[in-house]
Amino acid sequence: MTHAPHTDGGGFLKQPKAVWAVAFAAVVSFMGLGLVDPILPAIAGDLHASPSQVELLFTSYFAVTGVAMLVTSAVASRIGPKRTLLCGLALIVLFSGLAGASDSIGAIVGLRAGWGLGNALFIATALSVIIGSASGGVAGAVMLYEAALGLGISVGPLLGGELGGISWRGPFFGVAVLMTIGFVAIAVLLGRTPAPAARERVSVLDPLRALRHREVRGSALTSAFYNFGFFTLLAYTPFPLRLGVHQLGYVFFGWGLMLAIFAVFVAPAISRRIGDVNGLLITLAVFAALLAVMGATHASQTTLIVAVIAAGTLLGIVNTLMTQLVMESAPVPRPVASASYSFVRFCGGAIAPFVAGKLAEHVSAGAPFYLGAVMTAGAVGVLWAYRRAFAPAASTAEPVATGTGAAPMIVAVGGPSAVEVSALAVPLARARGAAVRVLHVTETDVLVGEDVADRDSDEEARALLDACVAELGISGVAVAGEIVRSVGSHADVAERILRRAAEIGAGAIVLGPDSHDTALAGHVAARIVGQAPTHVIVLNPRAGALGRPLARA
């Protein structure tokens, strides 16, 4: 098990000023997702634009954001995080301000694309900067980032509605002003962040190469089909709702609030209970059915309002589970996997708003919802076809038979004491006459959407695993090792260990303390002891020899 180093003296609210500056800018950046929703009908009316033309505000924004995901990691790895943040903010200020001053729908669509580029540069870097600057360790930083994201998604439509009540130009100018404040705050409060070493630089081709792997390709294609339905609901629904600017802001505020709550609190529970793939299959199927109902009842304003808010609960679950799926299964570094996945899903879904507008103009008001339902059902089919690619991570070696028939023993390791724990497990393995499976669970924090934060690098995890396997191997113990990726809460670490123990029929589970964070290690151990159907032994290297093991039959 691997945890981030703990930094004393800070909590969730006791953060450096630089962290609050980045968090504030993150809230404003996330507002951009739904900010223009309430003003779409107003823009169409004032600029004499058709629904399909107005929908291009979403198409250009999401398309450029998706393509930009191929280059954001490469840019940040060359000019450093702070400069990348400032470049992104500067672009958002420039293009949002120009969009507010424009008098043609074509100009706004083009400027909205520039806004998407700035947003991609900012969002791709904000998480790592917050983690690097926050006090209280990674957990507090991630909580702060999740709070910023949820606040931005939910408040965006509300602010858009209030400012849009004055003029449809208001939301654009409002973002420009708020992002200018964020730019100044980050420039002044955030210290210099040097560019990474040359060996750490990422190529723009790495995300494209990642699509050769079934795990990345399957999750990306699933999300592309699903995002067609997602963006149809987000960009098209304001037209058939036939509400005023303020009322649209309130409706989509409810949508964003439900999305944030279910993404943070409900999705992890579903993942632990039935797994990511099963959870996605069920939720996507329900979302497809909801879109079909919206198509059949589009004439009922009340039904559409309820459906939009209800959709927020489903979208929150899907967004989180999809991110977990690609992060758990991807055989490439997580930043590369995230960029590859985001590129396909944004580009695939970007065409939905424009197509929805055309269907409404030439077929019927319900046709966009029906097409969204069909495409979302397609996501279910793609996920089912690729389901075997999302199996647990393969081990580094085949199980080794001992000749005694004894069930294998799992040794879960992490932290500076990992090799010592492996050495202490040698006499236990010999006494049981059992082969040993060394299990190193690496943790990745998942945020709403596609953002992730690795607790340790793939290279560090592999080096630690190899050292532990070597320590047991030189003692004559039959040993194999594997890395299992855990995405989400610390409780998920225990679930991953228990799941692997059940899959290989382990006769005992050996745990060691992680000196980085004793409280977290104790929580994981207590959960395993309480749920394991076999012996659980906790070893403490500081006690010498075997210490006093804790076991449960």
Side-chain angles (χ1 to χ4, degrees):
M1 296 170 288
T2 305
H3 303 289
H6 178 74
T7 304
D8 295 328
F12 174 66
L13 297 178
K14 296 179 180 179
Q15 301 292 347
K17 293 179 180 178
V19 173
W20 289 115
V22 178
F24 169 77
V27 170
V28 181
S29 179
F30 290 127
M31 287 180 183
L33 183 64
L35 187 76
V36 300
D37 256 25
I39 59 174
L40 290 178
I43 293 176
D46 285 2
L47 299 183
H48 307 291
S50 66
S52 61
Q53 289 175 315
V54 176
E55 297 299 293
L56 288 174
L57 269 70
F58 282 96
T59 295
S60 62
Y61 179 80
F62 288 127
V64 172
T65 298
V67 174
M69 287 296 176
L70 296 176
V71 301
T72 50
S73 296
V75 171
S77 68
R78 285 164 173 77
I79 68 174
K82 181 176 181 178
R83 291 177 180 173
T84 305
L85 285 177
L86 293 178
C87 285
L89 291 176
L91 289 173
I92 295 174
V93 171
L94 174 64
F95 289 112
S96 60
L98 290 175
S102 298
D103 292 317
S104 73
I105 190 64
I108 298 176
V109 168
L111 293 167
R112 179 82 164 153
W115 185 345
L117 174 60
N119 193 59
L121 288 171
F122 176 81
I123 295 302
T125 315
L127 173 59
S128 62
V129 171
I130 288 179
I131 288 178
S133 305
S135 63
V138 172
V142 166
M143 186 181 300
L144 179 63
Y145 188 80
E146 289 178 340
L149 196 154
L151 184 62
I153 287 178
S154 58
V155 171
L158 189 63
L159 180 64
E162 294 303 312
L163 293 178
I166 302 172
S167 167
W168 64 261
R169 302 177 189 273
F172 295 109
F173 289 135
V175 167
V177 171
L178 291 173
M179 277 305 197
T180 299
I181 297 173
F183 181 95
V184 173
I186 290 175
V188 173
L189 300 176
L190 182 62
R192 180 177 178 270
T193 56
R199 63 181 176 82
E200 299 175 346
R201 292 178 179 175
V202 177
S203 168
V204 295
L205 296 178
D206 287 345
L208 293 176
R209 296 189 183 104
L211 291 173
R212 294 179 297 186
H213 300 283
R214 281 180 54 83
E215 301 92 337
V216 178
R217 187 170 64 253
S219 57
L221 289 175
T222 299
S223 191
F225 278 91
Y226 146 69
N227 270 355
F228 195 101
F230 178 8
F231 294 164
T232 295
L233 180 140
L234 180 65
Y236 171 70
T237 309
F239 290 98
L241 275 173
R242 304 183 306 280
L243 294 172
V245 174
H246 289 289
Q247 290 82 4
L248 282 173
Y250 298 145
V251 170
F252 279 93
F253 169 72
W255 165 83
L257 187 63
M258 291 298 99
L259 187 150
I261 291 174
F262 275 70
V264 175
F265 299 107
V266 179
I270 291 176
S271 175
R272 289 192 296 271
R273 181 172 293 273
I274 62 176
D276 295 340
V277 173
N278 290 334
L280 278 169
L281 289 171
I282 294 172
T283 309
L284 286 171
V286 174
F287 181 47
L290 179 63
L291 287 171
V293 170
M294 293 174 72
T297 61
H298 66 273
S300 171
Q301 192 178 71
T302 301
T303 301
L304 285 185
I305 291 173
V306 173
V308 168
I309 296 174
T313 66
L314 302 174
L315 300 180
I317 295 171
V318 173
N319 285 350
T320 296
L321 294 186
M322 279 302 310
T323 303
Q324 291 185 177
L325 193 66
V326 69
M327 292 303 108
E328 288 176 0
S329 59
V332 296
R334 251 73 97 208
V336 174
S338 181
S340 178
Y341 161 74
S342 298
F343 164 67
V344 175
R345 77 186 185 107
F346 277 121
C347 290
I351 63 173
F354 179 74
V355 172
K358 285 296 183 183
L359 286 174
E361 293 168 12
H362 300 290
V363 181
S364 71
F369 294 119
Y370 288 127
L371 180 58
V374 171
M375 296 298 284
T376 304
V380 176
V382 172
L383 180 60
W384 178 261
Y386 278 89
R387 68 191 185 283
R388 299 190 185 279
F390 305 119
S395 62
T396 59
E398 292 298 323
V400 181
T402 62
T404 64
M409 183 173 73
I410 278 184
V411 178
V413 297
S417 63
V419 177
E420 296 175 72
V421 170
S422 300
L424 289 175
V426 170
L428 290 173
R430 287 174 175 168
R432 292 179 54 83
V436 172
R437 179 67 61 92
V438 179
L439 200 65
H440 180 30
V441 183
T442 62
E443 291 185 76
T444 300
D445 284 297
V446 172
L447 315 177
V448 183
E450 74 277 359
D451 300 294
V452 296
D454 281 336
R455 297 298 182 92
D456 62 345
S457 68
D458 288 344
E459 293 75 14
E460 292 170 336
R462 177 60 56 190
L464 179 63
L465 178 64
D466 290 344
C468 294
V469 170
E471 183 66 30
L472 284 150
I474 61 176
S475 301
V477 175
V479 60
E482 66 181 283
I483 294 175
V484 175
R485 294 166 184 153
S486 169
V487 185
S489 65
H490 297 292
D492 194 50
V493 176
E495 297 295 333
R496 297 290 171 183
I497 294 172
L498 289 169
R499 185 182 304 176
R500 288 302 288 140
E503 290 170 351
I504 69 174
I509 302 173
V510 175
L511 306 173
D514 184 339
S515 60
H516 284 325
D517 196 327
T518 304
L520 291 177
H523 178 74
V524 172
R527 191 177 184 92
I528 293 176
V529 168
Q531 297 185 13
T534 186
H535 296 289
V536 179
I537 304 165
V538 179
L539 300 178
N540 183 2
R542 293 190 298 272
L546 282 180
R548 183 179 180 183
L550 172 67
R552 176 185 180 274

